[in-house]
Structure formats: structure tokens, C-alpha cells
Amino acid sequence: MSFLPFTRPTIGEETIAGVADVLRSGWSTSGPQVNAFEAALSDYFGGRPVRAFNSGTATLEVALRLAGIGPGDEVITTPLTWVATANVILEVGATPVFADIDPATRNIDPARIEAALTPRTKALMPVDLAGLPADRDRLYTIATAHKLRVVEDAAQSLGASWHGKPIGSCGDFVSFSFHANKNLTTGEGGALVLPADVDPAYCERLRLQGVKRAADGGMDVDVLGGKWNLTDIAAAIGLGQLPRLAEFTARRRDLVRAYFEHIDPALGLTLPPRDFENSNLHMFQPLLPPGSDRGAFIAAMKERGIGVGVHYPALHLFSLYRKLGFKDGDFPHAEDVGRRIVTLPLFPAMADGDIDRVCAAIEEVLSH
Ligand SMILES: *Cc1c(COP(=O)(O)O)cnc(C)c1O
């Protein structure tokens, strides 16, 4: 039986042909495909301005810079996320402040945000773990009351919604990733939805060396920018993926329903939040029973031809963050979930029978 990875992108033959066309065109860096991809994304987000980047990490860093966040400022985020979320706060010279998760949603707990506020707090960076949107109503109530910017790390939630509207169509800065594991991929890439008070031309300068081109062919550089532009090769993949996003999400929903039906409750797994309305079902992540040896579980599943991922250990316990003073016990809910969480196979091209195969393997492994 072939190996079943925990995720795999679905790239259609038309998309592959589109990429070949770009390669044959002689123009592979940012150009017409990027413009078309940005326009298609903007349409999807109800007309809001969107700029494409070469990673979701770059979009987050640029969003913080556009929001004017820097040394002396505190940004409140979750400790249960991909480390990029907190790394970009350090990258702009600001201070990450963590608020523990709500174990029911695994997203940042709004009540704990209130407790973490200080006069230096400048922004909130919520994350939609596994594609389940963090509570936008409560986040924006806090942000408005305390005059904070919000940089939504929606890297995992493209295709998810809040009150029936797509994530990205409302809010302040909204950042997406198109990494190979995300629900929509460009290989690597990202996109930033801009609020009305940000000039998209300024965002473009931060994206590419701060360069401002003049009509006569000359140029000026008036701000320090990075090297974060998306290629036309990547944008062509995105243009092939975007029209299929709803189909991908629907397929994920069916597969997740099957997981809920087939996992035996007697095995003692804690199942993920059950949301078929707002979430884009980016990952299906049960928690192993308390005290389980996760490494042994992953190895035993691998022996049975099944890939299992870990997304994520609580990031404040990484060495870099321990050096900043964080320690065991600081955020007990994130630590508990971070120790027990496993990502089971979930991607649109999975067959129904794959769910049975995964569930049978889990049963075999856990009942030994
Ligand atoms: C994937 C991801 C990122 C970073 O995106 P890249 O495209 O890999 O740079 C940031 N935050 C979260 C929550 C992610 O899942």
C-alpha cells in the first residue's frame, strides 16, 4: 500500500500547463501573472486591496511595519502557532506577549488578551489554528476599545468565514500563506489584504527594496524594503488553485465528517473543535491521551504507511524564546495541547477508504 502523507497539494493539469506557458513566455519574475492573481484575490475578498508576497512570513512582517510596529511596542499573540507568527514580531524589533489559548478552540483566549494588555500594547496578532477563525467579534471589540491594530495571521484560514463572509473580506490587516501545505498553494507565497488607511504603492515599495520608479526610467529609494516579491511562476499556480478553493474546502469537510464518524471514542483521543460552518478544515488534529508517547505513536503510524505531523509545540518553550525568559508553566493550555497534538492525513485528493485506513491504524497502535 502506498504511503499516505498528512497533506499533499492538488495541482491540476491545466495549472501545470499554465506554469509551462509562463516559463515559455520569457517572463518568470513578478509580472502579469502576479497582477492577475492579486486581482483575483481582491475579487474574492470583496474588492479589498491585496498584494502578493513570496511567503506568508514576509506578509506578516510587512503588515507589522505598515502598522508602524517597532522597538518598544508589544504585540499580543498566541503561543500555539507556527513560530513565524512570533518571529516576525522579533524581526521588527518589537516584543511578543503571549496570551494562552482557549482549549476548546485552541485559538487565543480573548479574556486572556485583556489581562495581557499594557500601555505598550500596539497590536493583536490572532491566528486561526487549523483554519478555525479566532473570534473576530471579541478581538475587534478589544482592539477598538484600546486603539490597537490587528494583524490577522490567517495563514491557515483561506476559504474560512466569519458570519458568512470570507476571512479576509473584513478586518484590519489580513495575512495569508500559500506554502505547499496550505489549503491553496503557490509552492511558496503569501498575500496581504490591506486596510483602507494604507497606500498599496507604499506596501509595494516595502516588498521590493523600497524602490520608487520614475516615469523617465529613473528611480529613487526612500525607505528600506525587502526582497519579498512573488514570481509569475508561483502566481500561475495560484491562479489555477483559486477557482478550486470551494471544491477543496467541501472535500475536506466530507473527509473530516468521516473522521468524526469513524474514530472510536473509547481510544481516549480528544477530538478537535467540531466546526463545519466557519472553518476551512485546514488540518484534522486530535490530541493523544494524556501521558502518551507521541514519538512512538508517529513512528508506529509511519510503519503502517501513514504520515502524522505535529502542528505545533508551544513556541515559547523553543530555546530562542526561553532565552527571552519564557518557561514551562507560563501557558499551560498551549503546553498541554502542544505536547499531545497530532495532525492526521487530510487533503482533497484523499479517498474515502483512506479515512478507514487511518482509523484502523490508530486503533491498532493505541490499543497496544
Ligand atoms: C504557514 C504559516 C505561516 C508562515 O507562512 P510561510 O508562507 O511558510 O512563510 C505563518 N503563520 C502560520 C500560522 C502559518 O501556518
Side-chain angles (χ1 to χ4, degrees):
M1 216 178 288
S2 64
F3 187 78
L4 182 68
F6 69 77
T7 191
R8 186 167 64 211
T10 298
I11 313 267
E13 286 305 320
E14 329 76 59
T15 303
I16 294 170
V19 170
D21 288 344
V22 171
L23 293 170
R24 288 195 192 96
S25 75
W27 190 280
S28 56
T29 184
S30 310
Q33 300 292 321
V34 169
N35 293 340
F37 186 41
E38 288 176 340
L41 286 166
S42 176
D43 263 4
Y44 175 77
F45 297 124
R48 295 187 72 192
V50 179
R51 290 298 176 268
F53 287 77
N54 58 11
S55 79
T57 306
T59 60
L60 290 172
E61 182 175 339
V62 168
L64 288 174
R65 292 182 62 187
L66 289 169
I69 310 295
D73 299 334
E74 293 177 357
V75 179
I76 299 179
T77 190
T78 167
L80 192 72
T81 177
W82 176 226
V83 69
T85 312
N87 281 354
V88 293
I89 299 171
L90 295 175
E91 198 63 57
V92 301
T95 305
V97 172
F98 300 109
D100 205 352
I101 58 161
D102 173 346
T105 62
R106 303 172 183 174
N107 284 327
I108 195 165
D109 181 344
R112 290 174 205 273
I113 294 179
E114 306 257 15
L117 292 166
T118 78
R120 291 147 86 97
T121 310
K122 288 287 155 49
L124 306 179
M125 255 175 102
V127 174
D128 304 324
L129 194 74
L132 178 70
D135 188 328
R136 297 298 193 275
D137 300 343
R138 293 187 66 191
L139 287 164
Y140 280 94
T141 300
I142 298 169
T144 306
H146 299 275
K147 298 192 168 52
L148 308 174
R149 295 308 300 241
V150 180
V151 175
E152 298 180 21
D153 182 351
Q156 301 184 7
S157 55
L158 185 66
S161 59
W162 188 253
H163 293 313
K165 290 188 185 159
I167 292 295
S169 63
C170 304
D172 198 357
F173 294 92
V174 190
S175 170
F176 295 94
S177 164
F178 307 132
H179 176 268
N181 287 355
K182 302 293 169 25
N183 287 23
L184 181 156
T185 187
T186 59
E188 297 279 4
L192 182 61
V193 182
L194 298 171
D197 64 343
V198 166
D199 176 8
Y202 183 63
C203 174
E204 288 169 18
R205 299 218 292 288
L206 288 185
R207 180 173 65 181
L208 192 61
Q209 314 292 4
V211 168
K212 198 177 188 175
R213 301 211 176 257
D216 65 0
M219 66 178 83
D220 187 27
V221 174
D222 62 351
V223 61
L224 180 60
K227 169 61 186 177
W228 292 317
N229 55 303
L230 189 71
T231 65
D232 262 20
I233 302 166
I237 305 173
L239 280 166
Q241 294 263 286
L242 190 56
R244 301 188 64 186
L245 181 62
E247 165 205 333
F248 291 163
T249 308
R251 179 64 187 150
R252 287 173 177 276
R253 198 173 289 129
D254 289 346
L255 292 164
V256 169
R257 280 188 201 283
Y259 267 130
F260 276 112
E261 279 166 25
H262 289 87
I263 290 184
D264 180 356
L267 294 173
L269 293 171
T270 302
L271 295 183
R274 196 185 179 101
D275 179 306
F276 295 105
E277 191 189 328
N278 295 317
S279 176
N280 68 355
L281 295 314
H282 172 55
M283 293 187 282
F284 184 76
Q285 303 176 289
L287 309 185
L288 295 179
S292 302
D293 179 343
R294 182 168 57 190
F297 175 80
I298 293 172
M301 292 294 283
K302 194 173 174 192
E303 272 171 31
R304 289 161 176 79
I306 294 166
V308 171
V310 174
H311 307 89
Y312 304 93
L315 76 89
H316 66 286
L317 299 181
F318 291 149
S319 305
L320 177 70
Y321 287 84
R322 284 182 187 270
K323 278 188 226 153
L324 299 174
F326 296 105
K327 57 187 187 314
D328 298 84
D330 283 352
F331 309 105
H333 293 304
E335 290 169 26
D336 178 52
V337 172
R339 272 191 296 266
R340 294 162 58 202
I341 199 162
V342 287
T343 305
L344 299 183
L346 178 65
F347 53 92
M350 265 172 82
D352 294 340
D354 290 333
I355 300 283
D356 302 316
R357 190 179 148 196
V358 175
C359 293
I362 293 174
E363 198 154 335
E364 216 177 276
V365 170
L366 286 187
S367 47
H368 281 163

